[in-house]
Amino acid sequence: MSLVLDPAAQDLLFREARTANTFTDEPVTDEQVRAIYDLVKYGPTSMNQSPLRVTLVRSPEARERLVAHMAEGNQAKTAAAPLVAILSADNEFHEELPQLFPHFPQAKDLFFAERPVREGSAALNAALQAAYFIIGVRAAGLAAGPMTGLDFEGLRKEFLDDDHTPLMVVNIGRPGPDAWFPRGPRLDYEQVVTTV
């Protein structure tokens, strides 16, 4: 069976997708980021939750502050990437549910009145949106370098607040020389899929 999506698009979004480790110095514009968001905002989440928040790190001062929180192996590439995005989960996402889930506005208070419940749901759904964001970067013809090697608590204190939980940092740009590590292996279908 073949997929409906054109094979070239399948390759762009998935088969050729890799974590980029070097980038050219070509800038990533606000217009490109807006186009990415305007595409990926339609990705499905539970109850249309939209807890993902994106902090673009553009100024040299902010970049320096960010690099200080990255693991040693991620510092140089984060310092050199044309654009860096901090992806976080908004634990107060439920305030937007009356707008985003209008056919059941009471969901805000019925399901998400307690902070631990919100945090769990925000983490899951923001992670889904983060994956869509990375695919959107690929769809824009750019490369993404998502990283979790960092001081999360330091990053949160430096750039966010107590209502936001950092998920990852993503370097974004056109791939530079030797941008890719060799392709890692993947699990086979039978290792992942079970029918009951």
Side-chain angles (χ1 to χ4, degrees):
M1 177 181 171
S2 64
L3 299 173
V4 174
L5 189 65
D6 178 78
Q10 295 174 37
D11 289 343
L12 174 70
L13 298 179
F14 294 99
R15 292 189 197 98
E16 295 173 3
R18 311 278 282 284
T19 295
N21 293 287
T22 68
F23 298 89
T24 69
D25 59 3
E26 181 180 332
V28 177
T29 67
D30 288 336
E31 292 77 17
Q32 287 172 299
V33 177
R34 181 175 293 278
I36 291 165
Y37 176 72
D38 284 343
L39 173 66
V40 304
K41 68 183 178 185
Y42 294 109
T45 60
S46 173
M47 298 173 72
N48 203 32
Q49 296 173 41
S50 296
L52 181 70
R53 300 296 178 264
V54 180
T55 304
L56 300 178
V57 181
R58 288 204 179 273
S59 74
E61 301 80 26
R63 183 74 62 101
E64 188 175 319
R65 289 171 27 227
L66 172 62
V67 168
H69 296 288
M70 302 303 295
E72 185 177 344
N74 292 332
Q75 289 180 346
K77 57 188 170 185
T78 302
L83 180 61
V84 182
I86 300 169
L87 304 188
S88 63
D90 181 357
N91 295 308
E92 298 298 315
F93 71 89
H94 68 305
E95 297 294 343
E96 309 295 337
L97 278 181
Q99 172 191 345
L100 297 173
F101 205 59
H103 58 282
F104 189 30
Q106 58 271 42
K108 169 186 176 279
D109 298 314
L110 187 62
F111 296 118
F112 301 109
E114 296 181 17
R115 175 74 179 232
V117 174
R118 290 198 305 274
E119 288 177 350
S121 195
L124 173 63
N125 287 283
L128 282 172
Q129 290 186 289
Y132 299 144
F133 182 83
I134 293 166
I135 293 170
V137 168
R138 299 275 312 157
L142 301 169
M147 299 167 292
T148 56
L150 55 105
D151 172 6
F152 281 92
E153 185 56 20
L155 181 74
R156 187 192 61 73
K157 287 180 180 176
E158 188 81 37
F159 290 96
L160 305 171
D161 59 31
D162 289 340
D163 289 332
H164 293 80
T165 303
L167 301 173
M168 67 185 71
V169 169
V170 183
N171 294 332
I172 303 169
R174 301 252 180 233
D178 302 316
W180 322 112
F181 292 144
R183 167 72 76 193
R186 296 297 190 268
L187 296 176
D188 292 330
Y189 178 87
E190 292 75 17
Q191 293 175 280
V192 176
V193 179
T194 304
T195 302
V196 293

